[in-house]
Amino acid sequence: MSSRRKFLHKLTASVMAMPLLPLEGLAGAQPENPATEPLETQVSEAEPYQGPMLRVAIMGLGGYGTMVAEAMRACKKAQLVGVVSGTPSKVSAWQTRYRIPVKNCYNYQNFDEMVNNKDIDAVYVITPNGLHKDHVIRAAKAGKHVICEKPMAINAKEGQEMIDACKKAGVKLLVGYRIHFEPKTLEIIRMRNAGEFGKVMFFQGLSGFVIGDPKQWRLNKQLAGGGAMMDIGIYSVNGSRYMTGEEPVWVTAQETKTDKVKFAEGVDETIQFQLGFPSGAVASCLSTYSMNFLDRFFLTGEKGYAELNPSTGYGPIRGRTHKGELSFLHVTHQTVQMDEMAEIILNGKQPVVPVDGEEGLKDLKIIDAIYLAAKTGKKVTL
């Protein structure tokens, strides 16, 4: 995770400079041991998909939007058909690269007109956190299902407003929790549900990297809603919940800031936080923008343990338990995510771990409590 931002920057530049690639491009499935496990033998027998297709417009054509677009080349059930951007040159480049018709291209001023476009089913909002609420509500009013990148909003109040707006419009609201579909993560959840760890006692989540450009929007309180917690710390917040299988009932937190110029008022650099769960299990987590090599989840119970390291990076995820290494074919997370979300939106599929707006709201309520606990120095009851 330490090079996450640099990777996105390089990926965007290289992708937009390349000619159109075949489907296997950047988003193709990658076996963890290519020398002994050729991809062709893994997927050649799959039947062509004949079902309905979720037609998606991506809003926000930055680094992560590009990653999602590339991953969607390999999707069977979701298709990139539209874009929303305030940068005409990006729209033009994406039109060429992804064969997007002019009628499916919008900017931030006119995308409400999408209400008249029957060729777009859903909008994937990948804009700065502080813009999520407005963009999601406008997309919902245009009659489109919405997928919103995490965190869903900058606080729980805004998150609830987004949920209410989508319900009123009769559209679904999902959140970009790609790890909720990751096979090693799901195997640990299966093992926990089967009692293979016994009573869960403790979870540790470490999420952090050294952030670069001090002028980027992630260090702007108005656009980001905070600092590291609103970007990387949410992984440990969310992970503590799906790894333990419980919702926390209390929070304590401590903030550390070493650079008050780079990390201005309201922009957190490092927060350590602790969560207590109804069973008596506890979590100890770290969210930071000033330390590298932090992408690890650890769960221990009376009978065994599980570790993911890296736990939330773009892949492959590495996992092991007291029973040995976890081995599953790695497929680009966003490819799996978009196909699974197509199933949820089109066919009402229920995922193992929810990815709806209510799930996003639960994380926001915890983050609000973490900020309050760090500010007051007191335990906050949830």
Side-chain angles (χ1 to χ4, degrees):
M1 288 301 282
S2 62
S3 59
R4 181 176 176 225
R5 301 302 169 206
K6 290 182 180 179
F7 173 72
L8 284 175
H9 177 76
K10 292 178 181 178
L11 176 67
T12 306
S14 62
V15 164
M16 300 314 292
M18 290 189 293
L20 279 168
L21 295 174
L23 286 182
E24 51 270 23
L26 289 175
Q30 298 292 329
E32 291 194 9
N33 189 351
T36 59
E37 223 172 353
L39 174 61
E40 291 76 14
T41 63
Q42 301 279 337
V43 299
S44 60
E45 297 180 1
E47 292 292 330
Y49 177 69
Q50 302 293 332
M53 185 76 69
L54 182 70
R55 299 165 299 176
V56 180
I58 289 180
M59 178 185 293
L61 311 185
Y64 193 70
T66 300
M67 182 178 289
V68 172
E70 285 300 306
M72 287 184 69
R73 289 183 179 278
C75 284
K76 295 180 179 180
K77 303 173 184 179
Q79 179 183 10
L80 174 62
V81 300
V83 295
V84 182
S85 175
T87 308
S89 60
K90 287 185 178 181
V91 173
S92 178
W94 280 52
Q95 275 184 269
T96 301
R97 181 163 182 76
Y98 301 108
R99 299 188 177 97
I100 296 171
V102 175
K103 68 180 183 64
N104 290 354
C105 296
Y106 299 87
N107 57 46
Y108 295 116
Q109 287 69 48
N110 70 8
F111 82 85
D112 307 272
E113 297 172 12
M114 202 181 291
V115 67
N116 300 312
N117 191 332
K118 305 304 180 184
D119 294 330
I120 296 174
D121 303 313
V123 176
Y124 194 159
V125 176
I126 312 178
T127 53
N129 307 335
L131 305 178
H132 286 179
K133 186 186 83 165
D134 178 61
H135 290 162
V136 166
I137 291 176
R138 287 174 65 188
K141 287 181 177 179
K144 306 304 176 185
H145 299 293
V146 190
I147 303 167
C148 182
E149 237 339 280
K150 60 190 176 305
M152 185 174 74
I154 61 172
N155 55 50
K157 179 179 180 294
E158 287 197 357
Q160 186 64 61
E161 291 174 11
M162 293 158 67
I163 291 171
D164 293 343
C166 288
K167 286 182 178 178
K168 182 177 180 179
V171 300
K172 293 183 179 178
L173 171 59
L174 305 182
V175 184
Y177 289 116
R178 59 186 167 83
I179 296 296
H180 290 198
F181 306 108
E182 197 282 315
K184 292 170 186 173
T185 301
L186 291 176
E187 173 61 11
I188 291 173
I189 292 171
R190 184 204 65 77
M191 292 176 67
R192 185 205 69 223
N193 288 338
E196 296 183 35
F197 303 122
K199 177 179 168 59
V200 173
M201 307 293 290
F202 175 76
F203 170 81
Q204 182 187 53
L206 305 177
S207 301
F209 63 94
V210 176
I211 198 166
D213 182 10
K215 296 181 180 180
Q216 63 180 283
W217 69 262
R218 291 176 181 82
L219 296 175
N220 180 312
K221 174 66 163 64
Q222 184 175 358
L223 290 176
M229 181 62 63
M230 300 300 290
D231 178 28
I232 191 71
I234 189 173
Y235 284 102
S236 282
V237 171
N238 190 246
S240 71
R241 296 174 49 237
Y242 63 68
M243 291 286 279
T244 64
E246 295 187 80
E247 298 298 330
V249 292
W250 58 258
V251 172
T252 54
Q254 307 80 39
E255 181 176 4
T256 303
K257 188 172 291 191
T258 63
D259 188 340
K260 294 185 179 180
V261 175
K262 188 173 185 179
F263 303 100
E265 181 68 26
V267 179
D268 50 287
E269 176 184 351
T270 299
I271 293 181
Q272 298 175 72
F273 61 95
Q274 302 77 40
L275 306 173
F277 298 91
S279 68
V282 293
S284 177
C285 304
L286 174 68
S287 164
T288 184
Y289 265 161
S290 62
M291 288 176 265
N292 285 327
F293 316 115
L294 295 175
D295 183 16
R296 177 179 182 264
F297 286 173
F298 179 78
L299 180 79
T300 188
E302 292 178 328
K303 296 181 181 178
Y305 74 91
E307 180 182 30
L308 293 168
N309 186 10
S311 57
T312 62
Y314 294 131
I317 301 301
R318 303 291 181 186
R320 63 190 176 102
T321 75
H322 58 286
K323 293 187 175 182
E325 297 291 322
L326 298 176
S327 180
F328 293 88
L329 180 70
H330 172 67
V331 181
T332 303
H333 295 168
Q334 295 82 0
T335 302
V336 178
Q337 171 195 324
M338 294 308 295
D339 272 342
E340 288 293 319
M341 288 186 165
E343 281 282 349
I344 293 168
I345 291 173
L346 297 175
N347 300 319
K349 182 176 180 179
Q350 297 297 313
V352 174
V353 184
V355 293
D356 56 18
E358 297 293 343
E359 178 77 0
L361 183 62
K362 290 176 181 178
D363 280 343
L364 291 174
K365 288 179 177 179
I366 296 169
I367 290 174
D368 284 353
I370 289 171
Y371 279 135
L372 179 60
K375 182 179 180 179
T376 63
K378 298 178 180 180
K379 178 185 286 189
V380 175
T381 301
L382 295 166

